[in-house]
Protein backbone atom coordinates (compact mmCIF):
# COMPACT_ATOMS: atom_id res chain seq x y z
CA UNK A 1 0.00 0.00 0.00
CA UNK A 2 2.86 2.40 0.81
CA UNK A 3 5.30 1.05 -1.73
CA UNK A 4 8.81 0.88 -0.39
CA UNK A 5 8.94 1.51 3.34
CA UNK A 6 11.83 1.21 5.73
CA UNK A 7 12.40 -2.00 7.67
CA UNK A 8 11.43 -0.10 10.83
CA UNK A 9 8.12 0.93 9.30
CA UNK A 10 7.48 -2.64 8.16
CA UNK A 11 8.08 -3.93 11.70
CA UNK A 12 5.75 -1.30 13.11
CA UNK A 13 3.06 -2.21 10.58
CA UNK A 14 3.41 -5.90 11.43
CA UNK A 15 3.21 -5.18 15.16
CA UNK A 16 0.17 -2.97 14.66
CA UNK A 17 -1.53 -5.81 12.77
CA UNK A 18 -0.75 -8.15 15.68
CA UNK A 19 -2.17 -5.68 18.17
CA UNK A 20 -5.29 -5.28 16.05
CA UNK A 21 -5.77 -9.05 16.15
CA UNK A 22 -5.30 -9.04 19.93
CA UNK A 23 -7.93 -6.32 20.24
CA UNK A 24 -10.38 -8.33 18.12
CA UNK A 25 -9.81 -11.37 20.31
CA UNK A 26 -10.24 -9.38 23.52
CA UNK A 27 -13.41 -7.76 22.25
CA UNK A 28 -14.90 -11.16 21.45
CA UNK A 29 -13.87 -12.46 24.85
CA UNK A 30 -15.32 -9.34 26.52
CA UNK A 31 -18.60 -9.87 24.73
CA UNK A 32 -18.68 -13.49 25.88
CA UNK A 33 -17.86 -12.42 29.44
CA UNK A 34 -20.66 -9.85 29.40
CA UNK A 35 -23.12 -12.51 28.25
CA UNK A 36 -21.96 -15.21 30.68
CA UNK A 37 -23.78 -16.11 33.87
CA UNK A 38 -22.16 -15.07 37.16
CA UNK A 39 -22.95 -15.78 40.77
CA UNK A 40 -23.29 -12.06 41.45
CA UNK A 41 -22.89 -8.68 39.84
CA UNK A 42 -19.54 -7.99 41.55
CA UNK A 43 -18.01 -11.08 39.93
CA UNK A 44 -19.26 -10.04 36.50
CA UNK A 45 -18.01 -6.48 37.00
CA UNK A 46 -14.56 -7.74 37.99
CA UNK A 47 -14.24 -9.91 34.90
CA UNK A 48 -15.53 -7.20 32.57
CA UNK A 49 -13.25 -4.59 34.17
CA UNK A 50 -10.28 -6.89 33.66
CA UNK A 51 -10.99 -7.16 29.95
CA UNK A 52 -11.57 -3.42 29.71
CA UNK A 53 -8.19 -2.80 31.35
CA UNK A 54 -6.45 -5.07 28.86
CA UNK A 55 -8.22 -3.39 25.96
CA UNK A 56 -7.21 0.03 27.26
CA UNK A 57 -3.57 -1.03 27.59
CA UNK A 58 -3.44 -2.42 24.06
CA UNK A 59 -5.23 0.65 22.69
CA UNK A 60 -2.60 2.85 24.33
CA UNK A 61 0.14 0.78 22.74
CA UNK A 62 -1.56 1.10 19.36
CA UNK A 63 -1.62 4.88 19.73
CA UNK A 64 2.08 5.04 20.65
CA UNK A 65 3.08 2.71 17.83
CA UNK A 66 0.92 4.63 15.36
CA UNK A 67 2.75 7.82 16.31
CA UNK A 68 6.09 6.04 15.84
CA UNK A 69 4.95 4.74 12.46
CA UNK A 70 3.83 8.20 11.39
CA UNK A 71 7.23 9.62 12.37
CA UNK A 72 9.04 6.82 10.54
CA UNK A 73 6.98 7.29 7.37
CA UNK A 74 7.42 11.06 7.62
CA UNK A 75 11.19 10.63 7.93
CA UNK A 76 11.28 8.12 5.08
CA UNK A 77 9.31 10.37 2.74
CA UNK A 78 11.24 13.49 3.71
CA UNK A 79 8.13 15.49 4.58
CA UNK A 80 9.43 16.64 7.99
CA UNK A 81 5.90 17.03 9.34
CA UNK A 82 6.92 15.71 12.75
CA UNK A 83 10.16 17.72 13.02
Amino acid sequence: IWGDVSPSAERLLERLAQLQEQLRDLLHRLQAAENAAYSNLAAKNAVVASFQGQISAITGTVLLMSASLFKELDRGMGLNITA
Side-chain angles (χ1 to χ4, degrees):
I1 190 169
W2 291 97
D4 292 327
V5 295
S6 70
S8 295
E10 281 191 32
R11 284 191 300 277
L12 288 166
L13 286 166
E14 289 171 7
R15 183 64 181 131
L16 283 168
Q18 292 170 350
L19 290 169
Q20 184 179 31
E21 186 58 36
Q22 286 180 357
L23 278 174
R24 272 193 212 103
D25 178 58
L26 280 171
L27 289 171
H28 287 116
R29 292 170 54 200
L30 170 61
Q31 186 176 31
E34 288 175 329
N35 294 328
Y38 294 91
S39 58
N40 59 52
L41 185 57
K44 178 178 182 174
N45 288 342
V47 171
V48 169
S50 173
F51 280 113
Q52 290 172 334
Q54 292 175 58
I55 290 167
S56 294
I58 292 174
T59 300
T61 302
V62 166
L63 290 172
L64 291 172
M65 294 194 77
S66 295
S68 295
L69 176 61
F70 183 78
K71 287 179 183 178
E72 182 63 31
L73 292 172
D74 180 40
R75 183 177 24 251
M77 293 178 180
L79 300 175
N80 295 320
I81 295 171
T82 60

